[in-house]
Amino acid sequence: MFNLLMFNVDWSAGRVTVPLGRIFEYTDAHISAQFRDGSNNLLLDRLTSLPGLFCEEGTTNETAYVGQINRARITGNDFLLLEIRFDTEVPPLENSFIYTYHSQLDMLHDFEFSRNHWAVKDVDLYRFLAGAENALRSRPRDEEAQNEALIQKLERKVGRMAIEIRGTLYKCVMSNKIFRTSDFLRLAQ
């Protein structure tokens, strides 16, 4: 299991405040019950023992971190003060990566990426990350080959354009013609 915290806060500060009313949203009832006592009080020690995925809302280039909640305490009636640390062995992720694999992370609702909340997911976060890392290692070779082919194509096109421009300039100089900016623009097309 892992804690999924989706809040628009500065996670890198290491200390954040989140609304208590958003805890266990998008969490199955049988899971949330494991983190409450008989009086329905939060079992913060049990919750903070889980690894965490700390995200901002969004599905593109927002930064997400893997780490741990070091300390959690209720402040007033409505908020939790969290002290967190990031796992230095796991580089920051982008939400686009998380969104790509959202079903494997038990994030079954798209709206989950656009609502501040704290969910507990019944997924082994580190096992998921290890599997996703292996999948990503095999994919970049194909993307790398495509990118390399595109770069070579652009280099050939730029090279041809440079030769055409040099040739035109040489002809103009040899014939004493004036070369206009529009001539350059025409050649660049």
Side-chain angles (χ1 to χ4, degrees):
M1 283 190 220
F2 74 96
N3 288 307
L4 170 68
L5 290 98
M6 182 80 65
F7 291 97
N8 289 328
V9 296
D10 181 10
W11 292 114
S12 63
R15 190 177 176 141
V16 298
T17 304
V18 299
L20 192 56
R22 298 289 179 94
I23 195 164
F24 299 134
E25 289 187 6
Y26 303 103
T27 303
D28 293 335
H30 73 279
I31 293 174
S32 61
Q34 297 175 42
F35 299 97
R36 292 199 182 271
D37 65 14
S39 301
N40 208 31
N41 295 314
L42 284 175
L43 299 173
L44 290 175
D45 288 342
R46 191 175 290 175
L47 264 174
T48 60
S49 70
L50 300 175
L53 182 58
F54 306 101
C55 309
E56 293 179 31
E57 291 179 354
T59 59
T60 57
N61 62 351
E62 300 82 9
T63 304
Y65 304 93
V66 173
Q68 192 74 36
I69 300 170
N70 289 336
R71 185 171 180 225
R73 65 183 175 91
I74 297 173
T75 59
N77 292 327
D78 301 328
F79 293 96
L80 279 164
L81 177 64
L82 306 176
E83 294 176 16
I84 63 169
R85 67 174 167 75
F86 301 142
D87 185 333
T88 57
E89 298 294 316
V90 180
L93 308 169
E94 285 193 351
N95 278 18
S96 58
F97 168 81
I98 296 165
Y99 187 73
T100 298
Y101 296 100
H102 69 278
S103 61
Q104 293 177 32
L105 290 167
D106 195 27
M107 298 173 71
L108 306 177
H109 308 279
D110 283 347
F111 196 63
E112 196 160 357
F113 285 90
S114 59
R115 177 154 172 88
N116 282 264
H117 68 286
W118 180 345
V120 177
K121 302 298 183 176
D122 194 12
V123 174
D124 183 326
L125 182 60
Y126 285 100
R127 182 174 288 163
F128 158 77
L129 290 170
E133 181 182 13
N134 289 336
L136 289 174
R137 280 187 188 149
S138 62
R139 216 172 57 190
R141 290 185 187 135
D142 298 334
E143 290 175 14
E144 223 172 271
Q146 290 173 350
N147 288 341
E148 185 61 35
L150 180 61
I151 289 169
Q152 289 175 356
K153 181 178 176 183
L154 290 172
E155 285 174 342
R156 286 192 301 269
K157 185 172 184 175
V158 168
R160 283 194 305 268
M161 287 173 54
I163 291 169
E164 289 175 21
I165 290 171
R166 279 191 218 126
T168 303
L169 285 173
Y170 179 76
K171 287 178 189 175
C172 288
V173 168
M174 296 309 285
S175 65
N176 289 326
K177 286 187 179 176
I178 297 174
F179 203 73
R180 293 169 284 163
T181 305
S182 61
D183 295 330
F184 276 112
L185 294 174
R186 181 183 51 78
L187 287 172
Q189 295 177 350

PDB file of all heavy atoms in Angstrom, residues 79-92:
ATOM      1  N   PHE A  79      -7.164  20.432   9.812  1.00  0.00           N
ATOM      2  CA  PHE A  79      -5.952  20.281   9.014  1.00  0.00           C
ATOM      3  C   PHE A  79      -4.981  19.278   9.622  1.00  0.00           C
ATOM      4  O   PHE A  79      -4.993  19.026  10.820  1.00  0.00           O
ATOM      5  CB  PHE A  79      -5.248  21.633   8.855  1.00  0.00           C
ATOM      6  CG  PHE A  79      -6.025  22.598   8.027  1.00  0.00           C
ATOM      7  CD1 PHE A  79      -6.853  23.536   8.634  1.00  0.00           C
ATOM      8  CD2 PHE A  79      -5.959  22.571   6.645  1.00  0.00           C
ATOM      9  CE1 PHE A  79      -7.593  24.425   7.881  1.00  0.00           C
ATOM     10  CE2 PHE A  79      -6.698  23.454   5.878  1.00  0.00           C
ATOM     11  CZ  PHE A  79      -7.512  24.390   6.499  1.00  0.00           C
ATOM     12  N   LEU A  80      -4.148  18.737   8.730  1.00  0.00           N
ATOM     13  CA  LEU A  80      -3.033  17.881   9.124  1.00  0.00           C
ATOM     14  C   LEU A  80      -1.746  18.587   8.726  1.00  0.00           C
ATOM     15  O   LEU A  80      -1.603  19.038   7.580  1.00  0.00           O
ATOM     16  CB  LEU A  80      -3.092  16.544   8.395  1.00  0.00           C
ATOM     17  CG  LEU A  80      -4.026  15.489   8.938  1.00  0.00           C
ATOM     18  CD1 LEU A  80      -4.254  14.402   7.909  1.00  0.00           C
ATOM     19  CD2 LEU A  80      -3.458  14.889  10.205  1.00  0.00           C
ATOM     20  N   LEU A  81      -0.821  18.672   9.646  1.00  0.00           N
ATOM     21  CA  LEU A  81       0.503  19.193   9.359  1.00  0.00           C
ATOM     22  C   LEU A  81       1.404  17.991   9.103  1.00  0.00           C
ATOM     23  O   LEU A  81       1.508  17.094   9.941  1.00  0.00           O
ATOM     24  CB  LEU A  81       1.035  20.015  10.526  1.00  0.00           C
ATOM     25  CG  LEU A  81       2.460  20.547  10.361  1.00  0.00           C
ATOM     26  CD1 LEU A  81       2.540  21.525   9.201  1.00  0.00           C
ATOM     27  CD2 LEU A  81       2.926  21.193  11.650  1.00  0.00           C
ATOM     28  N   LEU A  82       2.021  17.956   7.917  1.00  0.00           N
ATOM     29  CA  LEU A  82       2.860  16.825   7.528  1.00  0.00           C
ATOM     30  C   LEU A  82       4.303  17.276   7.360  1.00  0.00           C
ATOM     31  O   LEU A  82       4.574  18.307   6.745  1.00  0.00           O
ATOM     32  CB  LEU A  82       2.380  16.229   6.203  1.00  0.00           C
ATOM     33  CG  LEU A  82       0.919  15.816   6.102  1.00  0.00           C
ATOM     34  CD1 LEU A  82       0.606  15.341   4.703  1.00  0.00           C
ATOM     35  CD2 LEU A  82       0.605  14.736   7.123  1.00  0.00           C
ATOM     36  N   GLU A  83       5.197  16.489   7.886  1.00  0.00           N
ATOM     37  CA  GLU A  83       6.620  16.661   7.613  1.00  0.00           C
ATOM     38  C   GLU A  83       7.021  15.471   6.759  1.00  0.00           C
ATOM     39  O   GLU A  83       6.811  14.318   7.146  1.00  0.00           O
ATOM     40  CB  GLU A  83       7.421  16.706   8.910  1.00  0.00           C
ATOM     41  CG  GLU A  83       7.104  17.931   9.748  1.00  0.00           C
ATOM     42  CD  GLU A  83       7.821  17.943  11.081  1.00  0.00           C
ATOM     43  OE1 GLU A  83       8.801  17.168  11.256  1.00  0.00           O
ATOM     44  OE2 GLU A  83       7.405  18.724  11.949  1.00  0.00           O
ATOM     45  N   ILE A  84       7.580  15.755   5.596  1.00  0.00           N
ATOM     46  CA  ILE A  84       7.875  14.694   4.639  1.00  0.00           C
ATOM     47  C   ILE A  84       9.347  14.735   4.230  1.00  0.00           C
ATOM     48  O   ILE A  84      10.033  15.741   4.413  1.00  0.00           O
ATOM     49  CB  ILE A  84       6.984  14.810   3.383  1.00  0.00           C
ATOM     50  CG1 ILE A  84       7.256  16.121   2.652  1.00  0.00           C
ATOM     51  CG2 ILE A  84       5.519  14.706   3.739  1.00  0.00           C
ATOM     52  CD1 ILE A  84       6.645  16.214   1.276  1.00  0.00           C
ATOM     53  N   ARG A  85       9.781  13.629   3.675  1.00  0.00           N
ATOM     54  CA  ARG A  85      11.118  13.574   3.070  1.00  0.00           C
ATOM     55  C   ARG A  85      10.990  12.744   1.794  1.00  0.00           C
ATOM     56  O   ARG A  85      10.165  11.842   1.696  1.00  0.00           O
ATOM     57  CB  ARG A  85      12.152  12.990   4.014  1.00  0.00           C
ATOM     58  CG  ARG A  85      11.968  11.542   4.328  1.00  0.00           C
ATOM     59  CD  ARG A  85      13.108  10.972   5.166  1.00  0.00           C
ATOM     60  NE  ARG A  85      12.741   9.676   5.697  1.00  0.00           N
ATOM     61  CZ  ARG A  85      12.697   8.550   4.981  1.00  0.00           C
ATOM     62  NH1 ARG A  85      13.001   8.566   3.708  1.00  0.00           N
ATOM     63  NH2 ARG A  85      12.333   7.404   5.540  1.00  0.00           N
ATOM     64  N   PHE A  86      11.814  13.074   0.833  1.00  0.00           N
ATOM     65  CA  PHE A  86      11.805  12.358  -0.435  1.00  0.00           C
ATOM     66  C   PHE A  86      12.817  11.225  -0.395  1.00  0.00           C
ATOM     67  O   PHE A  86      13.859  11.331   0.256  1.00  0.00           O
ATOM     68  CB  PHE A  86      12.137  13.289  -1.596  1.00  0.00           C
ATOM     69  CG  PHE A  86      11.192  14.444  -1.743  1.00  0.00           C
ATOM     70  CD1 PHE A  86      11.662  15.689  -2.112  1.00  0.00           C
ATOM     71  CD2 PHE A  86       9.834  14.289  -1.518  1.00  0.00           C
ATOM     72  CE1 PHE A  86      10.795  16.752  -2.255  1.00  0.00           C
ATOM     73  CE2 PHE A  86       8.960  15.350  -1.658  1.00  0.00           C
ATOM     74  CZ  PHE A  86       9.447  16.588  -2.024  1.00  0.00           C
ATOM     75  N   ASP A  87      12.516  10.173  -1.119  1.00  0.00           N
ATOM     76  CA  ASP A  87      13.441   9.061  -1.281  1.00  0.00           C
ATOM     77  C   ASP A  87      14.473   9.487  -2.314  1.00  0.00           C
ATOM     78  O   ASP A  87      14.155   9.675  -3.489  1.00  0.00           O
ATOM     79  CB  ASP A  87      12.680   7.815  -1.746  1.00  0.00           C
ATOM     80  CG  ASP A  87      13.555   6.581  -1.818  1.00  0.00           C
ATOM     81  OD1 ASP A  87      14.785   6.719  -2.016  1.00  0.00           O
ATOM     82  OD2 ASP A  87      13.004   5.475  -1.689  1.00  0.00           O
ATOM     83  N   THR A  88      15.708   9.651  -1.887  1.00  0.00           N
ATOM     84  CA  THR A  88      16.759  10.132  -2.788  1.00  0.00           C
ATOM     85  C   THR A  88      17.148   9.099  -3.844  1.00  0.00           C
ATOM     86  O   THR A  88      17.823   9.429  -4.813  1.00  0.00           O
ATOM     87  CB  THR A  88      18.014  10.549  -1.992  1.00  0.00           C
ATOM     88  OG1 THR A  88      18.452   9.431  -1.214  1.00  0.00           O
ATOM     89  CG2 THR A  88      17.710  11.733  -1.079  1.00  0.00           C
ATOM     90  N   GLU A  89      16.721   7.860  -3.660  1.00  0.00           N
ATOM     91  CA  GLU A  89      17.019   6.808  -4.634  1.00  0.00           C
ATOM     92  C   GLU A  89      16.036   6.833  -5.818  1.00  0.00           C
ATOM     93  O   GLU A  89      16.272   6.168  -6.827  1.00  0.00           O
ATOM     94  CB  GLU A  89      16.952   5.431  -3.964  1.00  0.00           C
ATOM     95  CG  GLU A  89      17.959   5.240  -2.851  1.00  0.00           C
ATOM     96  CD  GLU A  89      19.392   5.251  -3.351  1.00  0.00           C
ATOM     97  OE1 GLU A  89      19.664   4.606  -4.381  1.00  0.00           O
ATOM     98  OE2 GLU A  89      20.237   5.919  -2.722  1.00  0.00           O
ATOM     99  N   VAL A  90      14.948   7.575  -5.670  1.00  0.00           N
ATOM    100  CA  VAL A  90      13.934   7.636  -6.726  1.00  0.00           C
ATOM    101  C   VAL A  90      13.910   9.061  -7.271  1.00  0.00           C
ATOM    102  O   VAL A  90      13.602  10.000  -6.533  1.00  0.00           O
ATOM    103  CB  VAL A  90      12.528   7.260  -6.197  1.00  0.00           C
ATOM    104  CG1 VAL A  90      11.498   7.325  -7.310  1.00  0.00           C
ATOM    105  CG2 VAL A  90      12.553   5.879  -5.547  1.00  0.00           C
ATOM    106  N   PRO A  91      14.227   9.254  -8.537  1.00  0.00           N
ATOM    107  CA  PRO A  91      14.218  10.609  -9.092  1.00  0.00           C
ATOM    108  C   PRO A  91      12.787  11.156  -9.142  1.00  0.00           C
ATOM    109  O   PRO A  91      11.819  10.382  -9.163  1.00  0.00           O
ATOM    110  CB  PRO A  91      14.778  10.425 -10.511  1.00  0.00           C
ATOM    111  CG  PRO A  91      14.543   8.994 -10.835  1.00  0.00           C
ATOM    112  CD  PRO A  91      14.572   8.246  -9.537  1.00  0.00           C
ATOM    113  N   PRO A  92      12.644  12.484  -9.170  1.00  0.00           N
ATOM    114  CA  PRO A  92      11.304  13.060  -9.317  1.00  0.00           C
ATOM    115  C   PRO A  92      10.642  12.526 -10.582  1.00  0.00           C
ATOM    116  O   PRO A  92      11.303  12.238 -11.588  1.00  0.00           O
ATOM    117  CB  PRO A  92      11.570  14.564  -9.426  1.00  0.00           C
ATOM    118  CG  PRO A  92      12.894  14.758  -8.756  1.00  0.00           C
ATOM    119  CD  PRO A  92      13.675  13.509  -9.046  1.00  0.00           C
TER     120      PRO A  92
END
